[in-house]
Amino acid sequence: MTEKTGTIGERAMLDPAEGDLLVEIDGPRHPGAVALYRLWQELRPAGNGVPQRDDLSFERLTELGIVSNCFVIEPLEGGRDWRYRLLGTAITWLFGGDATNIPFSKHFMPEEAELCIRLSNRVAQSRQPVFLFGRFQPGDFSGTLETMSLPVLARDGETVWLIGASFPVETKD
């Protein structure tokens, strides 16, 4: 995919430094997002630990009925950039193509990339999830998405990757 996506955002409830492309929400609302968050919480070790990436298997995501909406992202160069390691088919449809292995800085518009990198780093460093609404026009989709990023440990047991999901939501305008 060579074209960068475009987004039309709303005023964010994020830290003003985060930008105005996304609206942060307190927790998941879409049933698929709620199911993924509950699974992540069940797998989370005591003491605010982070689940292992492999614990959130494709089989478990398939059982929840959300595997096509899921993504896995990994940091590049210590968090200077991030890239999609895995993308479900619903996500590739939303983007209008496959963005697997394309750094955020090459996939998104510059302002979007900076925001997505900052948010990803925030989740990785704090080891706390983030839940968002955003208005997107990336490919074949135009509308509002609920998206989330949950920290998980990569196979090396140290690096924090993010697993998440995005769901189109109906809004009343």
Side-chain angles (χ1 to χ4, degrees):
M1 183 171 175
T2 56
E3 285 187 41
K4 295 184 180 185
T5 62
T7 300
I8 299 173
E10 302 173 24
R11 183 74 192 134
M13 294 187 300
L14 303 168
D15 180 309
E18 300 288 12
D20 60 357
L21 296 172
L22 299 167
V23 175
E24 190 165 353
I25 57 177
D26 291 335
R29 297 181 186 171
H30 185 280
V34 170
L36 178 57
Y37 183 54
R38 282 186 183 148
L39 175 61
W40 181 84
Q41 287 178 307
E42 288 171 18
L43 297 170
R44 190 175 192 184
N48 290 328
V50 177
Q52 297 289 322
R53 158 60 190 104
D54 289 341
D55 290 341
L56 287 112
S57 66
F58 291 115
E59 292 80 16
R60 283 186 153 160
L61 300 174
T62 300
E63 288 172 8
L64 296 177
I66 62 169
V67 72
S68 68
N69 296 87
C70 289
F71 59 84
V72 176
I73 61 174
E74 67 177 333
L76 300 173
E77 301 174 30
R80 285 187 192 85
D81 207 341
W82 286 75
R83 72 173 167 199
Y84 288 99
R85 181 70 177 219
L86 298 168
L87 282 171
T89 56
I91 306 288
T92 59
W93 177 81
L94 291 169
F95 284 153
D98 188 2
T100 303
N101 292 320
I102 300 174
F104 285 3
S105 61
K106 295 193 183 331
H107 172 63
F108 293 109
M109 300 297 288
E111 186 177 331
E112 292 173 317
E114 290 172 25
L115 175 59
C116 291
I117 291 165
R118 277 196 310 270
L119 284 170
S120 298
N121 284 329
R122 183 179 109 192
V123 172
Q125 291 164 5
S126 71
R127 296 180 178 220
Q128 296 298 314
V130 67
F131 307 96
L132 306 158
F133 279 139
R135 186 153 175 81
F136 294 89
Q137 291 182 323
D140 295 331
F141 172 77
S142 175
T144 302
L145 292 175
E146 178 178 342
T147 191
M148 61 194 298
S149 291
L150 308 168
V152 294
L153 286 179
R155 288 187 177 135
D156 68 8
E158 294 178 21
T159 307
V160 177
W161 286 17
L162 307 181
I163 188 167
S166 296
F167 304 92
V169 294
E170 299 212 11
T171 58
K172 295 177 180 137
D173 294 329

